[in-house]
Amino acid sequence: MGAAALPVLIFTGFWGVVGIVLPFIIPKGPDRGVQQLVLMMTAATCYLFWLCCYMAQMNPLVGPKLNQHTILIMAREWGNLIQ
Amino acid sequence: MGSLFRSEEMALCQLFLQSEAAYACVSELGELGLVQFRDLNPDVNAFQRKFVSEVRRCDEMERKLRYLEKEIKKDGIPMLDTGENPEAPQPREMIDLEATFEKLENELREVNHNAEALKRNFLELTELKHILRKTQVFFDETEQQMGTAVASQMADPNREDEQVTLLGEEGLRAGGQALKLGYSARLLNWGSKILKKSESKFEPEKVGNYYFRFVAGVILRERIPAFERMLWRACRGNVFLRQAEIETPLEDPSTGDQVHKSVFIIFFQGDQLKSRVRKICEGFRATLYPCPEAPSQRREMAMGVMTRIEDLNTVLGQTQDHRHRVLVAAAKNIKNWFIKVVKIKAIYHTLNLFNLDVTQKCLIAECWVPLLDIETIQLALRRGTERSGSSVPPILNRMDTFEDPPTYNRTNKFTGAFQNLVDAYGIASYREINPTPYTIISFPFLFAVMFGDLGHGCLMFLFAGFLVLREKPLAAKKTDNEVWNIFFAGRYIILLMGLFSMYTGFIYNDIFSKSLNLFGSHWHTNYNESTVLSNKDLQINPSLSSDYDQVPYPVGLDPVWQLALNKIVFLNAYKMKISIIIGVLHMLSGVSLSLYNYRYFKDRLSIYCDFIPQVIFLVFLFFYMVLLMFIKWVSYGPQNDFANSPACAPSILITFINMVLFKDAVALANCDTVYMFAGQGALQKFLVIVALLCVPIMLLAKPIYIMRQQKEKHVQLVNGHATTENGDAEGAGRVVQQPPPPPAGGHDENEIGELFIHQGIHTIEYVLGSVSHTASYLRLWALSLAHAQLSEVLWSMVMTKGLILNSWIGGVWLWFVFGFWAILTVGILVLMEGLSAFLHTLRLHWVEFQSKFYKGLGYAFAPFSFEVILNTASTAVEE
């Protein structure tokens, strides 16, 4: 299990608010039902999409294979200098 | 209620309208647009209906208005479109309107007629002017040739006869270079006669042995060569033709086109030739004009022509002014008038659908109305009655009917676009669950899974945002550009598609095929120099904590994958899995919606015999596969012991295939088992068996149950009959033989047979469909991969080429390369790929999603509405 708590909590919380809390506080109107559904589905689909991407990377089966040029540039740009 | 989830409840109503009030009431209903009238005299010919003459009058008015509109457009006068919507005028106002249009039309026709006559006149005079001018040149040439002596003779205006000396035939044939001509002709008294195109009559004078005469005229320039050849052949070369082009194009009064013409003059001898020349001229539509031969007379004539032309010009100008004034006045009102006439016509058309009751006092209509709007409709009817001054209120009566009511979904500008997507497949059956609300989000989402790119999504979002923000001015500016109209109608769909593409692009970490490194990659390179330099490429080991943080990049894909050589391997595994996960959930939601349908229509049997087995089948096989994916993601970590390490991770697809085939797979070398958790083998067998057991339930349960029920009913019926029969028969004797009802029985059997077949098809479709539809969702993976690859190829093949030059030339070069790259990005990646992703999404919704619950056998509610009628009328006019 390689998951960090913070991003999971933030994302679950954010889409939870959009999908569960917001539908309750929508003002009454003729289109309230549709608006609620739209919010809930947006939250569900977006959360699912993020979750799948996160979980797919939790336990990487393979590591990235990098070209030597790429490694050199990565080392320079992303601050992990080669000894 | 009144929401989008189901279509509106409708009621069939009968409407009694007082004859006097009918017109006003229908007009009010037309403004409202909530009532669909039914044709109560379908077998009556269109020409025999009650208000045919009124409809005809409206047609006539429309024709006049169209004529006016055409004339206004011809003059390029802007038509005032205030956007106001006048009410349908009272029937008595129709006569006023008719009179106005009649007057306008007559006036315009008269003006046009006069203008045409004047123009024709003008043309003739202009042509004559040109003839006089050009022939002057011919004659001048002659004079030079003839020398002063003859010239002085010719200058004498009192001499009617001229001595003519012809230098020789050769000269004439050579093209009139050495020509000496004399001619005798008698002048016409010109003036008004000129305008009547009277042909010049030349009295030949005998001069020596020769008669010389000429005709002058004007002919279309392109006819000249043929004309010349014809003259030559017909007259055997005995005529002489000179021609000169008129430089300025002349206007043809009948068509208004600009045409090029030439002046010609033909010299000939003798009567025979004369008639021949005449005929040829006639045949070539040449206009002949009289041309005096004496220079002074010509001068005089020319002067006369000039003054006449000037006079005509003033008259023509005044005529044009008058016409313009009339048209400008008409242009102010014409849109208004059009609306009024269309409304009157629509009202009489509707009245034609009504039935006249016996007393002729009252019109009867039948109409479909939304149940919620009955109040509004009654209010409108009352308004109509008041307006017409009738005392008797109209009566709206609800009727019971077995007919299927029309489907009416109340949409707004946002939901309307999505409703159109659903309706394009089929109008929902009455009160069936409407897929539109679910489509609003699922459609852009599935699109975005395929189109995921932050940059491309942003372009799409900005375009749609522009359309939405400038909605009103753009909507007012009606165009008949079809592509534009499609984009404009779908602006909210495009907006959402753009937004969701931005989100999925962000998760895919893809912006024009580049990645953002917002949170810092969680993969690190810890190599020393010699390792890097001695290896062409290196693979980072995920099990080392120094190389990989052991927690994933927080939002989306780690940017390192964009640079990795084995990116496709990783992306394939990831995108294939999410396609199946999304697809199974999408189908499950579709099946779940069918539950709402069954519950609404109180079809308990279908819940038990269709819905539950269907859900079990889908969940036990396919949703189980989805769960396996999540389990695999969680349990096989790079730092685990060997049995739970990536090397032992089983393939989900192979596991699933083995599960369905009841096959025990062999574990990989050094791995304990092929299973991911304890008891998986037994669980899988159970799941498959239960899922397979659901198939015969789906196939047989419902028809058998119905068959049994019918048999029971039948038995009861027969028993009941038998007792009463006995009771009756006691007294009446045994004469009456109750005939057995074989037709009914046969009918039942047929129905049962049909039911079996129907259910069979349904089941096969569902079972096979679950497999093929699940596979069909793999298009999400394929298209998304193709999109990402295409944008990467575009970047590496085009954009990187712009980054190779240094100095300021590199900047200029980059500017061009970027332009090319931008065009290809918008044209191919956004437009074409967008279109293809759109179509695939549409298919996923129509086939994979809607087939689970949607019948789509209804027909659309088509209310009588002025708005709709005016819109169609305006588009028809533009076409």
Side-chain angles (χ1 to χ4, degrees), chain B residues 435-462:
Chain B
T436 306
Y438 310 93
T439 307
I440 292 176
I441 294 304
S442 67
F443 192 92
F445 176 66
L446 287 189
F447 173 85
V449 172
M450 293 186 253
F451 195 72
D453 188 303
L454 187 56
H456 300 153
C458 192
L459 290 180
M460 198 174 247
F461 173 72
L462 288 178

Side-chain angles (χ1 to χ4, degrees), chain B residues 525-540:
Chain B
T525 48
N526 296 306
Y527 300 110
N528 54 33
E529 209 175 333
S530 61
T531 326
V532 176
L533 292 181
S534 57
N535 290 297
K536 215 173 151 216
D537 39 49
L538 290 160
Q539 187 157 11
I540 302 178

Side-chain angles (χ1 to χ4, degrees), chain A residues 1-4 7 11 15 30-31 33-34 37-38 41-42 45-46 48-68 70-72 74-75 78 80 82-83, chain B residues 412 437-438 441 445 503-504 507-508 517 521 523-529 532-533 535-540 548 550-552 554-558 563-566 574 578 630 633-634 636-637 646:
Chain A
M1 288 293 278
F11 258 81
W15 287 121
D31 291 327
V34 175
L37 184 76
V38 162
M41 282 191 63
T42 309
T45 51
C46 289
L48 176 77
F49 199 72
W50 169 81
L51 186 74
C52 286
C53 189
Y54 194 81
M55 289 188 75
Q57 294 180 88
M58 261 172 27
N59 287 312
L61 303 186
V62 290
K65 193 183 200 177
L66 297 164
N67 188 291
Q68 62 189 140
T70 318
I71 291 175
L72 290 173
M74 264 174 72
W78 292 355
N80 197 4
I82 286 172
Q83 284 89 38
Chain B
N412 52 32
Y438 310 93
I441 294 304
F445 176 66
Y503 180 78
T504 54
I507 297 286
Y508 284 151
N517 189 12
S521 174
W523 295 82
H524 309 287
T525 48
N526 296 306
Y527 300 110
N528 54 33
E529 209 175 333
V532 176
L533 292 181
N535 290 297
K536 215 173 151 216
D537 39 49
L538 290 160
Q539 187 157 11
I540 302 178
Y548 174 56
Q550 298 305 325
V551 287
V555 186
L557 280 181
D558 198 294
L563 310 166
L565 297 170
N566 56 350
Y574 159 61
I578 61 167
F630 280 96
W633 277 339
V634 170
Y636 291 90

Side-chain angles (χ1 to χ4, degrees), chain B residues 64-65 67-68 98-110 326-327 329-331 333 337:
Chain B
K64 281 174 188 154
L65 282 178
Y67 172 70
L68 269 178
E98 266 179 324
T100 319
F101 299 158
E102 181 82 37
K103 205 182 111 216
L104 269 173
E105 198 208 7
N106 283 346
E107 205 170 335
L108 211 59
R109 277 198 195 280
E110 204 171 317
V326 171
L327 287 180
N333 287 323
W337 286 337

Side-chain angles (χ1 to χ4, degrees), chain B residues 51-68:
Chain B
F51 298 98
V52 165
S53 61
E54 279 85 352
V55 172
R56 279 223 186 105
R57 276 162 65 195
C58 288
D59 274 337
E60 183 65 18
M61 283 198 280
E62 263 189 319
R63 187 193 59 72
K64 281 174 188 154
L65 282 178
R66 271 200 298 276
Y67 172 70
L68 269 178

Side-chain angles (χ1 to χ4, degrees), chain B residues 15-285:
Chain B
L15 189 62
F16 295 89
L17 293 168
Q18 232 22 55
S19 295
E20 312 91 66
Y23 182 91
C25 286
V26 171
S27 151
E28 287 290 334
L29 291 179
E31 299 288 347
L32 207 59
L34 283 170
V35 181
Q36 177 179 355
F37 290 103
R38 299 208 310 176
D39 192 355
L40 292 183
N41 346 293
D43 41 343
V44 178
N45 192 311
F47 301 107
Q48 293 165 343
R49 301 204 174 199
K50 190 157 185 283
F51 298 98
V52 165
S53 61
E54 279 85 352
V55 172
R56 279 223 186 105
R57 276 162 65 195
C58 288
D59 274 337
E60 183 65 18
M61 283 198 280
E62 263 189 319
R63 187 193 59 72
K64 281 174 188 154
L65 282 178
R66 271 200 298 276
Y67 172 70
L68 269 178
E69 197 190 21
K70 203 182 84 198
E71 294 293 316
I72 289 171
K73 275 193 182 146
K74 214 200 258 172
D75 276 25
I77 299 167
M79 276 176 283
L80 192 67
D81 192 2
T82 51
E84 68 174 320
N85 190 4
E87 283 199 352
Q90 294 291 320
R92 56 177 177 278
E93 282 174 46
M94 200 166 136
I95 299 164
D96 294 346
L97 279 180
E98 266 179 324
T100 319
F101 299 158
E102 181 82 37
K103 205 182 111 216
L104 269 173
E105 198 208 7
N106 283 346
E107 205 170 335
L108 211 59
R109 277 198 195 280
E110 204 171 317
V111 169
N112 278 354
H113 187 75
N114 289 345
E116 203 187 315
L118 284 172
K119 273 190 188 151
R120 182 156 289 137
N121 237 328
F122 183 72
L123 177 75
E124 276 160 12
L125 283 174
T126 329
E127 284 179 358
L128 184 58
K129 183 182 87 186
H130 282 293
I131 284 185
L132 290 172
R133 197 175 290 161
K134 301 287 176 193
T135 46
Q136 186 65 42
V137 180
F138 303 150
F139 291 132
D140 284 350
E141 278 173 15
T142 322
E143 270 172 37
Q144 281 165 14
Q145 299 283 342
M146 283 172 76
T148 42
V150 186
S152 66
Q153 277 187 335
M154 280 179 70
D156 187 358
N158 295 328
R159 283 184 69 104
E160 285 211 346
D161 300 344
E162 304 259 16
Q163 292 294 325
V164 179
T165 350
L166 193 64
L167 278 191
E169 283 286 311
E170 295 83 13
L172 195 146
R173 292 242 169 113
Q177 287 302 315
L179 179 70
K180 284 199 175 172
L181 271 184
Y183 18 75
S184 76
R186 208 172 66 193
L187 273 186
L188 260 188
N189 53 340
W190 67 288
S192 60
K193 267 193 184 170
I194 298 169
L195 301 172
K196 287 175 195 158
K197 252 193 233 176
S198 62
E199 292 176 7
S200 49
K201 287 188 177 155
F202 305 104
E203 281 295 311
E205 291 289 328
K206 196 170 178 187
V207 182
N209 292 323
Y210 305 109
Y211 297 109
F212 272 104
R213 294 185 257 182
F214 71 92
V215 288
V218 172
I219 191 168
L220 281 179
R221 200 177 286 175
E222 62 264 26
R223 290 205 182 126
I224 288 266
F227 181 57
E228 203 169 356
R229 206 174 309 129
M230 188 65 166
L231 272 174
W232 184 264
R233 285 185 188 156
C235 308
R236 300 201 177 80
N238 287 324
V239 295
F240 173 62
L241 172 87
R242 293 279 329 247
Q243 49 105 356
E245 291 174 357
I246 301 173
E247 293 81 9
T248 48
L250 303 168
E251 192 190 328
D252 186 350
S254 50
T255 58
D257 294 338
Q258 300 284 324
V259 287
H260 288 273
K261 290 191 168 181
S262 287
V263 168
F264 65 88
I265 180 162
I266 306 167
F267 300 98
F268 52 84
Q269 261 184 300
D271 277 331
Q272 242 184 331
L273 270 182
K274 178 186 157 193
S275 64
R276 242 183 240 175
V277 168
R278 280 270 154 80
K279 270 183 193 141
I280 292 168
C281 289
E282 222 168 86
F284 278 86
R285 305 263 165 102

